[in-house]
Amino acid sequence: MARGARGRPVAGVTDALSIRAAARDAGAATALHDGEQRYSYADLARLTEQRIDALAPQLRAGAAHPVAGSNTLDTLLTLYALLELQVPALLLHPRLTEAEQARERDATAQAAGSLPADAAAVLYTSGTTGRARGAVLTRTALLASAQASAANLGWHDDDCWLLAMPVARVGGLSIATRCLAARRAVALAPAFDAALLPQWIARYRVTQLSLVPTMLAMLLDAHPGWVPPEHLRLLLLGGAAASDKLLARAAERRLPIVVTYGCTETCSQVAATPYDRRFDAASCGAGRPLPGVQLRVHEGHVQVRGPMLMAGYLGQPPLARDAWFDTGDLGELDPQGFLHLHARRTDLIVTGGENVYPVEVERVLEACPGVEAAAVFGVADEVWGQTVAAALVVGPRPPDDDALLEHIGARLAPHKRPRRICVVPSLPHTTAGKLDRAALPALTPALRLLRAPAS
């Protein structure tokens, strides 16, 4: 068996996600930091054996086992046990209501017996591309995703990845599976906490960190003087579009940003900032396709093909092995091969026959002095089909209408300019920390006309 950077055996495809194999390969190595407790791979293997014994009577052949995906040792042990038993996990976000969890459990139970033998997890999508659907992720796909990520980021001997993302989302699950496959350490955070994040990074000597843009902004706001320690070698930033303003703030702190693009159906990232350009992420768009990923833009739609694709959605025919998966996103590839995203397809605003991409307008608005954050959405209009509206979070010195109109008038074509705005204390976000675009229409009653500029 090949040797890794630490001189330990590298797991093969069949045992990469096995905690027993990890204990054989790297028993004494640190596997997990949980508060003040440190667990080696041998420790976790022993605890997982106990969990296997406890789970056995509850498991049903051919069915996914529900797991409340809170960020706890208990959850991780259950995941390790299910991976060992090759039983798929139905990951339920702990912040869902009981009715929402029941719907996911019922829908998954109806699919019992139809899951592929290689199924590792069922995750319901966030709904940004329509009604939530259960994506079936296989062990093969999770490993292909881990290998693609490692080809860009590499592994260092002392790597420790902070798991502050919800483990019930693909961004959190993939941290656990990548580190298990690589026999590296995870530092477990019970939930994201901007106030405590620098302490966690220092205490556990975190080298890798995954955040969504909202989390990064909260971190920078909470710690105006904080700069990352030298041992933090990368901050993976994904899950939503990062504004130029946010990337500029990160660059001022010398944060090693790797912007990443992917989705649940692709087992997380399929494109990312090249690792050697992590201090220049703003120039790289959403990144380049990772090794092993085939990515194209067809009629404006971002499509992906490769071994990291899900098996398919529950209750629908499986994806063909060589199928192109339409992500539902709109974008373009530049001559250097970097992907630039415009919007989710369902977020597209069509006004007077012209297409408006919310992310483009949001970035312009957020660059206006006094605007802290913006969310753009379409409002039904009998004449135009839709008109552009914006919800703004403003600072202590908000721009007046004249200043705002002057700013956007110089940067956006007329059909892209918001006609109505509202000021809100904060933007709605999903449990995964992403902008909740489905909730934006509820702000329509608060909108007012953006006053025409003074003559």
Side-chain angles (χ1 to χ4, degrees):
M1 187 177 289
R3 296 275 165 177
R6 293 179 177 173
R8 299 198 304 269
V10 174
V13 172
T14 57
D15 62 8
L17 296 181
S18 162
I19 196 70
R20 290 169 176 159
R24 292 194 299 270
D25 295 342
T30 299
L32 182 69
H33 296 283
D34 182 21
E36 298 300 321
Q37 296 294 317
R38 170 199 168 274
Y39 298 90
S40 68
Y41 272 103
D43 295 331
L44 289 187
R46 285 193 293 271
L47 293 171
T48 300
E49 294 296 345
Q50 298 171 18
R51 183 56 49 88
I52 288 173
D53 291 341
L55 279 176
Q58 307 172 32
L59 303 179
R60 294 173 51 207
H65 183 72
V67 179
S70 54
N71 283 27
T72 62
L73 173 63
D74 186 72
T75 296
L76 290 181
L77 290 176
T78 299
L79 287 176
Y80 294 145
L82 294 174
L83 286 168
E84 200 67 45
L85 296 169
Q86 299 190 36
V87 173
L90 166 60
L91 284 168
L92 301 167
H93 199 290
R95 290 178 61 184
L96 293 178
T97 65
E98 177 53 38
E100 289 170 322
Q101 292 193 17
R103 282 196 293 272
E104 293 187 3
R105 287 195 299 267
D106 291 346
T108 308
Q110 292 174 11
S114 65
L115 295 173
D118 195 27
V122 176
L123 276 74
Y124 278 80
T125 61
S126 62
T128 53
T129 57
R131 186 174 59 85
R133 294 176 290 181
V136 181
L137 309 184
T138 64
R139 297 162 67 91
T140 299
L142 287 169
L143 286 173
S145 175
Q147 291 162 0
S149 173
N152 180 38
L153 305 179
W155 286 106
H156 291 188
D157 288 356
D158 61 348
D159 272 339
C160 176
W161 206 314
L162 181 64
L163 177 48
M165 305 281 283
V167 75
R169 297 288 188 243
V170 74
L173 174 65
S174 62
I175 293 172
T177 53
R178 287 177 201 147
C179 289
L180 174 58
R183 310 328 191 202
R184 298 309 199 265
V186 170
L188 184 63
F192 172 75
D193 189 325
L196 296 177
L197 202 62
Q199 296 180 36
W200 291 334
I201 292 170
R203 179 191 302 173
Y204 305 124
R205 289 192 62 80
V206 169
T207 62
Q208 292 149 292
L209 171 65
S210 295
L211 298 177
V212 300
T214 303
M215 295 175 177
L216 176 57
M218 293 172 65
L219 170 65
L220 298 178
D221 289 344
H223 304 279
W226 180 76
V227 293
E230 290 187 6
H231 55 77
L232 182 67
R233 69 182 184 90
L234 67 93
L235 192 164
L236 206 62
L237 187 65
S243 69
D244 293 339
K245 182 182 292 186
L246 180 61
L247 292 176
R249 293 179 66 193
E252 289 175 357
R253 306 279 191 99
R254 292 292 292 168
L255 277 164
I257 299 291
V258 174
V259 173
T260 179
Y261 166 73
C263 55
T264 301
E265 294 90 340
T266 63
C267 291
S268 73
Q269 58 175 314
V270 291
T273 305
Y275 179 71
D276 60 5
R277 296 186 64 172
R278 61 196 182 280
F279 294 105
D280 183 32
S283 68
C284 300
R288 284 194 179 119
L290 296 175
V293 174
Q294 291 179 272
L295 188 150
R296 71 180 184 184
V297 176
H298 179 67
E299 297 181 348
H301 299 171
V302 179
Q303 298 183 343
V304 178
R305 184 164 68 181
M308 66 293 303
L309 277 181
M310 66 174 180
Y313 292 113
L314 283 176
Q316 296 186 17
L319 292 178
R321 181 170 297 181
D322 60 349
W324 285 98
F325 173 70
D326 191 328
T327 64
D329 294 339
L330 300 173
E332 60 182 308
L333 287 165
D334 69 20
Q336 288 74 46
F338 291 112
L339 176 66
H340 298 269
L341 296 174
H342 297 310
R344 289 279 190 179
R345 190 194 319 171
T346 51
D347 296 336
L348 183 67
I349 301 168
V350 182
T351 178
E354 297 283 356
N355 292 342
V356 178
Y357 303 116
V359 171
E360 178 186 7
V361 181
E362 286 161 1
R363 286 177 174 165
V364 170
L365 290 168
E366 289 172 347
C368 180
V371 175
E372 299 293 337
V376 171
F377 57 105
V379 176
D381 186 275
E382 290 184 359
V383 176
W384 299 95
Q386 289 179 299
T387 57
V388 181
L392 307 177
V393 178
V394 299
R397 301 179 63 182
D400 59 21
D401 284 14
D402 286 346
L404 193 57
L405 284 164
E406 181 180 356
H407 178 83
I408 63 176
R411 294 166 175 82
L412 293 172
H415 68 273
K416 298 180 182 179
R417 300 171 194 165
R419 296 190 179 191
R420 290 195 278 173
I421 63 169
C422 63
V423 174
V424 294
S426 62
L427 300 177
H429 289 89
T430 68
T431 55
K434 301 179 183 180
L435 177 65
D436 188 355
R437 294 195 180 275
L440 294 177
L443 300 175
T444 300
L447 293 170
R448 66 168 178 83
L449 286 173
L450 186 56
R451 182 171 55 83
S455 56

